[in-house]
Amino acid sequence: MTRTPPPPPVETHRFACAQCGADYRFDPVAGLLRCDHCGHTRAMPRDDAAALPAIREMDFRAALDARLPEQEIEETRVATCPNCGGQVELGADTHAAECPFCATPVVTDTGLHRHIKPRGLVPFALDERAARQAMTDWLGRLWFAPNGLRDYARKGRKMNGIYVPYWTFDADTASRYTGQRGVAYYETRTVMRDGKQVTQQVRKVRWSPASGRVARFFDDVLVLASRALPKRFTDGLEPWDLSALTPYRPDFLAGFRAEGYTVPLEDGYAEATDKMNRVIRRDVRFDIGGDEQRIHSIDTTVRDVTFKHILLPVWTAAYKYRGASYRFVINGQTGRVQGERPWSVWKLALAALAAALLAGAVGYIIAQNQ
């Protein structure tokens, strides 16, 4: 009888200050571990390539068939938000928290989350002060935002630094297509206009059959593996500089949170396929050439699909202002901001009144001139 190997142990990491025993946190500006209690610092371990696991691709088919090695799997304790569905990793001694995405109170699940380990991450480059300044500047450019919200956000509650899960996919593709190439030409025609003969140029297109092949290797097609935030927010945080990816190391998570992925690998690949197909169609149009193109069919063969689970840095803030909730996200690498746009009723009313007065003044001037 074959014995099932025991599940891997739940991974926990604590970075205790060597001087006072409190917790270190990763300081993005200084690039080291810092104790907020006593100020003691500790250098990050050297990036010794021999000591760190490489950021290597994993076989997509093996993952779907549950044939990944056990060392690629881990179990963590997570809290699932009942409001937005986000899954946030918690420490062994944490039983209740607040969702960093929508500020809803959450309680630790009784079970464990078994998932594929992250292979790499982009470390935070902005600290909380810089992220708050980026959000304040963004709000300041929204003229119709309530002034009170900007003041509240500037000196408001603590922001959350969280590593958000993503999938990346590599694939080698070869596509055969059929279609038509359109070449524009012009004919001169004489028409009657206001009782006079007028010549004009009429554009026409001459179509001819087209077929051929295109090939492209896709590297690191990025797909969000979370459903906690509206996709329009996270899409707006792009682009990410994935050349800054470093092998996964728990030190970078000190003082931050990490979200577990909620988009299954297969669903992530489906979205990556949509992205790749759009690029392939663009390649086909370019290959057809001419002034216009018609695509009748594309037959694509995909080979050697691999993937990675990575973490990208995001600062989040959720504010309640006059009974309404506002969520903001900041790219922890570039400072790009996205969020729910707040509106000031008074500013909208003043703008409408100003527009009405301006329209009335213009109408009065026109009437006087006539």
Side-chain angles (χ1 to χ4, degrees):
M1 180 177 179
T2 303
R3 298 184 61 183
T4 303
V10 177
E11 293 195 20
T12 58
H13 303 280
R14 182 172 183 263
F15 299 92
C17 174
Q19 186 163 288
C20 70
D23 288 333
Y24 283 118
R25 65 172 177 83
F26 173 65
D27 184 339
V29 176
L32 46 71
L33 297 177
R34 183 185 303 279
C35 176
D36 288 332
H37 182 71
C38 70
H40 186 262
T41 61
R42 192 186 87 185
M44 297 284 286
R46 284 190 310 110
D47 289 335
D48 186 352
L52 292 174
I55 308 179
R56 62 182 181 82
E57 304 287 333
M58 290 184 283
D59 184 81
F60 176 66
R61 180 52 55 185
L64 292 187
D65 296 340
R67 291 187 287 107
L68 288 181
E70 277 299 313
Q71 60 264 30
E72 302 293 348
I73 307 298
E74 66 178 353
E75 288 186 346
T76 55
R77 295 173 66 250
V78 296
T80 300
C81 176
N83 183 41
C84 70
Q87 289 194 341
V88 182
E89 182 178 340
L90 297 178
D93 57 349
T94 305
H95 300 283
E98 190 177 72
C99 177
F101 300 110
C102 65
T104 300
V106 293
V107 178
T108 308
D109 292 349
T110 55
L112 299 174
H113 183 62
R114 180 178 170 86
H115 58 193
I116 300 170
K117 287 182 179 179
R119 299 301 304 177
L121 58 80
V122 172
F124 275 86
L126 275 67
D127 60 11
E128 183 180 359
R129 174 184 293 182
R132 186 181 300 281
Q133 186 60 51
M135 184 183 67
T136 303
D137 293 344
W138 181 78
L139 284 170
R141 292 191 294 270
L142 302 179
W143 194 84
F144 289 108
N147 292 330
L149 178 63
R150 288 201 294 265
D151 295 337
Y152 182 73
R154 185 180 296 113
K155 54 188 177 184
R157 60 195 298 165
K158 180 178 175 62
M159 301 180 72
N160 293 293
I162 184 164
Y163 282 97
V164 176
Y166 280 80
W167 301 114
T168 72
F169 295 92
D170 291 3
D172 197 9
T173 66
S175 305
R176 302 179 63 179
Y177 69 84
T178 61
Q180 289 180 299
R181 177 187 298 109
V183 177
Y185 65 97
Y186 293 85
E187 290 183 349
T188 301
R189 289 185 180 179
T190 301
V191 297
M192 297 297 296
R193 182 177 298 167
D194 298 330
K196 297 180 180 179
Q197 287 188 338
V198 178
T199 58
Q200 63 181 20
Q201 296 292 311
V202 178
R203 186 181 187 273
K204 290 193 171 185
V205 178
R206 183 178 293 109
W207 294 98
S208 60
S211 62
R213 300 183 181 186
V214 296
R216 177 179 286 269
F217 176 75
F218 289 91
D219 181 37
D220 283 345
V221 179
L222 191 65
V223 175
L224 177 68
S226 165
R227 295 191 175 101
L229 288 169
K231 198 169 183 305
R232 67 183 187 276
F233 289 178
T234 50
D235 285 349
L237 295 181
E238 296 181 7
W240 296 90
D241 179 12
L242 296 186
S243 67
L245 272 173
T246 185
Y248 175 82
R249 197 167 62 199
D251 312 60
F252 287 113
L253 272 65
F256 296 96
R257 292 178 176 177
E259 185 191 6
Y261 61 81
T262 52
V263 174
L265 179 63
E266 192 168 7
D267 293 352
Y269 178 67
E271 183 175 340
T273 299
D274 290 340
K275 290 186 174 184
M276 291 188 289
N277 285 340
R278 288 195 291 270
V279 175
I280 291 171
R281 287 186 67 87
R282 186 191 64 192
D283 290 347
V284 167
R285 290 188 180 278
F286 182 81
D287 197 62
I288 290 176
D291 300 306
E292 295 185 23
Q293 303 83 33
R294 290 173 178 169
I295 300 175
H296 297 330
S297 67
I298 299 178
D299 182 17
T300 299
T301 301
V302 183
R303 299 183 300 272
D304 302 328
V305 181
T306 58
F307 76 96
K308 296 189 299 293
H309 172 207
I310 66 172
L311 303 174
L312 297 182
V314 174
W315 286 100
T316 68
Y319 293 101
K320 292 186 181 297
Y321 177 72
R322 293 187 177 177
S325 296
Y326 299 97
R327 291 183 295 176
F328 307 97
V329 291
I330 300 96
N331 184 317
Q333 183 187 39
T334 66
R336 189 177 179 88
V337 182
Q338 294 291 307
E340 289 167 317
R341 183 184 181 94
W343 301 93
S344 168
V345 176
W346 289 107
K347 288 185 178 181
L348 289 173
L350 287 173
L353 178 60
L357 291 174
L358 179 61
V362 171
Y364 176 79
I365 293 172
I366 293 175
Q368 291 295 317
N369 290 336
Q370 292 178 343

